Amino acid sequence: MNPYEVLGVSPQATPEEVKAAYRALARKYNPQGLVGEALTGFAAEKMEQINEAYDAIIFSASQNGGQNWKGSASWFERAQNLVTAGRYSEAEVVLDSVDSASRTAEWYYLKGCVCEGKGWYDDASRAYQNACRMDPSNREFQRASQDLHERTHQYSPYRKGSSAGGDSCSSCDICTGLMCADCMCECCGGDLISCC
Amino acid sequence: MFGYIRLYKPEMTYKDYARYHSLYCGMCQALKRVGGPLARWTLQYDFVFLGALRMLRAGEEFKACNCRCPLNPFKKVNICVSQTQLEASACASLLLAHYQLKDDAEDCGSLKKRLRACLLLPITAGIKRRVAKHGTLKGSEEKIRQALERLHAAEQAGETSLDVAASPFAELVQWVASEGMPPHEAADRLAYHVGRWIYIADAWEDLQEDTQNGAYNPLKGDPQARQRAEFSLNASLMEINRAVAELPESPLQPIFENLALQGLPRMQKFLLEGGHPSHIIKRKDRIHESL
């Protein structure tokens, strides 16, 4: 299989073009968020092909020595590509190899994405908060943090209208309340709802 | 760390409840078969859940008989007779009970707990030998010991991340639910997050006691402990709900739906308001007032 065909780029493509094509395909075929076994199976297979093609192109480039951009690519780009492709454990290895002195707001943001992908939500929330603290002007970090809290809050038993909350007031409750109030008023000689 | 998994009965159809109850009775029998008659006293709903998850995953057909319970011979009850998966869960339950008691006997702050553990240990050691002879759930002893060691290591290191602290236990629950089964991503995620939810719920519930005793707790010393616990519990509820929606069709599926939509959220609310899990039964009327 020709890796260039899989990614849909020409063999003369620049590293940026290859990366852009890979990112677009990874986003398209990310098995997460798809429903149905047939669909996820197909997406996972496609994803595997895309990853293989990408690795093959990068490997041959670094072997030829002409465009050795695998080594020169920053940890940020590598980790970001892996996160986009949903390869969280590999992204984590890349992130953990960064020494603690050079951990920037972006590092914490990507760490948060990796933790979220793994289902480690407490760590994800703390990493996003760190990212926001280090770079308060970045909207993306703030949105990631807010999104995470909003999404989980949908499942909270304290959410309005939650069936497990037990303190919601339905239209039936309102009608029953009015009927009771009317009966009581009539007992005392008055009337609340004149037609009944 | 158990007793948090409860279904919410008022929202169940009678059929589903009868099925769940027969699983409970089946679990009691499985415990007896794996660990001898005394093993019945360790019966817990949490492991009924794990057994049910294994059954659903293995596609084992649910069969029940209407027979007499040896502990209450005057009453006929429905007992689940398809027990291969329930026995595997029973095995994990008994081993875990033994190692927890051993842990308590070695280094527990409370004298009462330590004394109780010392008295019960010879019995559970006997049960453990029987479990080993029975031979279901291979490698479980090793796995449980490893998980407890990792929990200890996190305690020693004073770990403050809820995820790092919870992962040994959550992974153990996932292992018990998946050992010897065909791979199923949603069922794995469900088991992992139920384990994570239990650990965090337990950490929150013990927070006050641990702060007084100076014992380890991942939430200790955090002024925002409640928000953090609540957020993490909600996150696990989210994963549990998503995973339950992806479970294969089965007569047992409504049980998991009830747990995800009603049982766990209600228990969570109850715990966050300062309740103790064992009181949820006693406070039946309060809990059911929304009916």
Side-chain angles (χ1 to χ4, degrees):
Chain A
M1 194 195 312
N2 184 349
Y4 293 98
E5 270 174 29
V6 175
L7 291 185
V9 291
S10 78
Q12 283 80 38
T14 61
E16 276 65 40
E17 281 169 359
V18 175
K19 261 186 250 174
Y22 171 75
R23 229 175 280 167
L25 286 171
R27 219 168 287 144
K28 189 171 165 192
Y29 290 109
N30 189 355
Q32 287 208 335
L34 293 178
V35 185
E37 212 166 288
L39 211 57
T40 45
F42 172 73
E45 202 178 298
K46 201 78 188 163
M47 226 23 251
E48 207 172 304
Q49 285 177 8
I50 297 165
N51 287 334
E52 269 174 26
Y54 182 68
D55 287 346
I57 296 175
I58 287 176
F59 184 70
S60 69
S62 62
Q63 286 279 302
N64 295 339
Q67 297 175 314
N68 189 0
W69 37 273
K70 189 183 183 182
S72 67
S74 66
W75 58 263
F76 176 72
E77 275 177 29
R78 270 188 290 155
Q80 198 178 30
N81 286 338
L82 290 166
V83 166
T84 323
R87 292 155 76 182
Y88 297 113
S89 47
E90 290 163 66
E92 194 172 26
V93 174
V94 174
L95 286 175
D96 287 344
S97 66
V98 178
D99 61 284
S100 49
S102 48
R103 290 179 178 177
T104 55
E106 282 82 14
W107 187 92
Y108 280 105
Y109 170 70
L110 286 175
K111 183 80 182 166
C113 295
V114 167
C115 288
E116 204 183 323
K118 283 201 308 182
W120 285 30
Y121 289 95
D122 183 43
D123 282 9
S125 159
R126 294 210 287 182
Y128 286 147
Q129 277 165 12
N130 269 338
C132 292
R133 206 174 306 132
M134 289 171 90
D135 186 358
S137 62
N138 193 318
R139 288 272 178 84
E140 201 182 345
F141 301 163
Q142 282 169 7
R143 207 172 47 228
S145 179
Q146 268 171 11
D147 261 11
L148 182 65
H149 280 264
E150 273 165 23
R151 252 182 301 138
T152 56
H153 186 70
Q154 286 176 9
Y155 293 89
S156 162
Y158 290 103
R159 177 182 53 97
K160 231 179 169 185
S162 157
S163 56
D167 45 10
S168 58
C169 178
S170 67
S171 50
C172 272
D173 294 338
I174 297 172
C175 283
T176 323
L178 278 173
M179 273 156 69
C180 287
D182 185 45
C183 287
M184 284 180 186
C185 284
E186 278 170 9
C187 285
C188 304
D191 197 8
L192 181 65
I193 308 166
S194 54
C195 60
C196 66
Chain B
M1 214 184 271
F2 294 101
Y4 295 98
I5 301 226
R6 297 257 176 233
L7 297 193
Y8 184 62
K9 283 188 226 164
E11 293 279 355
M12 289 180 101
T13 62
Y14 191 79
K15 180 180 71 183
D16 292 332
Y17 179 67
R19 219 168 253 158
Y20 185 60
H21 201 269
S22 71
L23 277 175
Y24 184 72
C25 293
M27 186 70 182
C28 183
Q29 283 208 336
L31 280 168
K32 191 232 158 194
R33 194 156 331 131
V34 173
L38 285 175
R40 282 186 201 267
W41 301 110
T42 63
L43 181 57
Q44 271 172 340
Y45 278 111
D46 307 62
F47 285 93
V48 177
F49 157 78
L50 278 179
L53 185 57
R54 284 183 67 95
M55 273 176 89
L56 180 127
R57 215 173 152 164
E60 191 179 10
E61 201 190 344
F62 176 86
K63 276 189 199 149
C65 71
N66 192 252
C67 27
R68 289 186 196 282
C69 165
L71 297 185
N72 187 3
F74 299 110
K75 198 178 158 195
K76 271 194 167 180
V77 285
N78 290 321
I79 300 179
C80 170
V81 288
S82 19
Q83 294 205 334
T84 329
Q85 305 308 330
L86 289 180
E87 275 180 13
S89 169
C91 165
S93 139
L94 292 172
L95 288 176
L96 210 59
H98 172 73
Y99 281 108
Q100 250 178 2
L101 273 183
K102 208 169 160 189
D103 221 36
D104 279 357
E106 277 164 14
D107 58 358
C108 181
S110 141
L111 194 69
K112 208 169 111 190
K113 264 191 183 171
R114 196 181 255 196
L115 200 69
R116 194 191 69 147
C118 289
L119 286 174
L120 288 175
L121 255 186
I123 303 173
T124 58
I127 291 177
K128 194 187 120 200
R129 275 196 297 278
R130 275 183 178 234
V131 172
K133 218 190 274 173
H134 194 271
T136 37
L137 209 69
K138 290 238 157 26
S140 47
E141 218 183 310
E142 191 56 37
K143 275 275 167 189
I144 289 171
R145 221 176 309 135
Q146 274 172 12
L148 290 178
E149 269 167 26
R150 283 177 59 205
L151 279 174
H152 249 296
E155 271 179 35
Q156 296 293 324
E159 188 58 60
T160 57
S161 154
L162 280 175
D163 285 307
V164 177
S167 73
F169 182 74
E171 279 164 20
L172 180 67
V173 173
Q174 186 185 339
W175 183 83
V176 172
S178 66
E179 169 59 14
M181 296 273 140
H184 192 294
E185 204 266 330
D188 274 348
R189 208 150 23 94
L190 172 62
Y192 180 89
H193 278 280
V194 166
R196 181 179 181 272
W197 187 92
I198 292 177
Y199 183 91
I200 297 170
D202 189 58
W204 164 254
E205 205 231 311
D206 291 344
L207 180 60
Q208 215 177 2
E209 200 187 313
D210 287 343
T211 315
Q212 278 167 5
N213 297 347
Y216 166 77
N217 193 311
L219 289 165
K220 199 161 77 176
D222 187 344
Q224 292 197 312
R226 191 185 190 277
Q227 282 95 323
R228 253 180 79 204
E230 192 181 350
F231 165 74
S232 280
L233 289 170
N234 286 343
S236 275
L237 277 186
M238 173 175 82
E239 290 284 355
I240 290 167
N241 272 282
R242 285 181 184 165
V244 164
E246 291 169 35
L247 286 182
E249 283 276 317
S250 152
L252 298 178
Q253 219 259 355
I255 292 175
F256 294 96
E257 246 165 45
N258 181 290
L259 186 79
L261 287 170
Q262 303 285 339
L264 292 181
R266 268 167 212 275
M267 178 59 94
Q268 178 175 326
K269 195 169 173 223
F270 187 69
L271 289 173
L272 287 171
E273 282 164 12
H276 187 272
S278 63
H279 294 163
I280 208 159
I281 324 265
K282 288 176 196 151
R283 289 190 17 171
K284 239 177 210 164
D285 322 298
R286 292 289 305 282
I287 291 292
H288 293 182
E289 70 194 356
S290 61
L291 253 182

